[in-house]
Amino acid sequence: MTRRPILLYPDPILRRKTDPVANFDAALLALVEEMKATMYDAPGVGLAAPQIGSLERIAIIDVDPGGPRSHLYVLANPRIVESSGADAELEGCLSIPGFTERVDRPSTVRVEAQDASGKIYEVAAEGLLARALCHEIDHLNGVLFIDHIRGLRRQLALRKLTKLGYAREDVPARPRR
């Protein structure tokens, strides 16, 4: 399957809110296959449609690609229905290669989504899977992980992004909800 180029920060498409998936058809299956090829080749553990230029509300996650616990989650129209706890861990993004920063996320989440055929399902997650779910759902809402960085750490992170060659953008002070 075709690998698509990953859009890089600060591409404006990464800041756009996605449209709900309405048609669970061959075109959606083709998009999912392209996303899989792109994510696994990158390599990454998650990918949201805006990262490859599509404004469909769909993301994929596999936190152990090629490993014994490999499982691909296809998440159309996902939403967090419950979250609890808090963990601060290093996080990165395929759209901001070479940059990681500590980000606060819920330690557990419960997400409702549809699979590629439109069937509704729920996933309860903790640890890396919970973090990945939050990260990819943020992408679908036009939010990047750098939007969660606050205070002096935020200023240092923006300086580091500039040193890494990323064009400066006006990053919102708080994630858009």
Side-chain angles (χ1 to χ4, degrees):
M1 186 49 62
T2 306
R3 180 189 188 278
R4 299 214 353 215
I6 296 172
L7 300 181
L8 299 178
Y9 169 85
D11 192 298
I13 290 175
L14 297 172
R15 293 298 187 179
R16 301 259 318 265
K17 193 167 183 170
T18 54
D19 300 318
V21 174
N23 298 314
F24 294 85
D25 55 12
L28 181 67
L29 290 175
L31 175 61
V32 169
E33 288 302 315
E34 290 176 346
M35 290 174 70
K36 283 170 45 179
T38 303
M39 180 186 77
Y40 287 130
D41 188 55
V45 299
L47 186 71
Q51 292 180 274
I52 60 167
S54 173
L55 290 175
E56 298 253 23
R57 191 166 184 79
I58 190 159
I60 60 171
I61 295 172
D62 182 348
V63 295
D64 192 27
R69 292 175 285 128
S70 179
H71 175 81
L72 182 71
Y73 292 91
V74 175
L75 304 138
N77 304 320
R79 64 185 187 89
I80 297 171
V81 294
E82 187 178 318
S83 65
S84 64
D87 281 328
E89 296 290 337
L90 280 180
E91 199 166 310
C93 180
L94 292 174
S95 290
I96 312 175
F99 180 78
T100 59
E101 185 58 59
R102 192 165 301 281
V103 174
D104 293 323
R105 298 274 190 193
S107 54
T108 63
V109 295
R110 192 167 49 89
V111 171
E112 182 181 277
Q114 292 170 276
D115 65 17
S117 68
K119 181 180 175 194
I120 296 173
Y121 72 99
E122 281 192 4
V123 58
E126 60 184 25
L128 180 57
L129 181 56
R131 178 168 297 280
L133 286 162
C134 293
H135 181 107
E136 299 310 329
I137 291 171
D138 270 358
H139 269 300
L140 300 177
N141 294 320
V143 176
L144 300 175
F145 83 101
I146 58 176
D147 299 337
H148 293 283
I149 304 167
R150 303 282 180 261
L152 179 58
R153 283 184 42 235
R154 178 179 189 74
Q155 295 307 312
L156 294 171
L158 292 175
R159 258 190 248 148
K160 185 175 179 183
L161 284 169
T162 302
K163 281 185 178 179
L164 288 171
Y166 292 103
R168 173 114 187 202
E169 73 161 356
D170 293 325
V171 179
R174 299 203 179 274
R176 293 179 241 165
R177 303 262 177 212

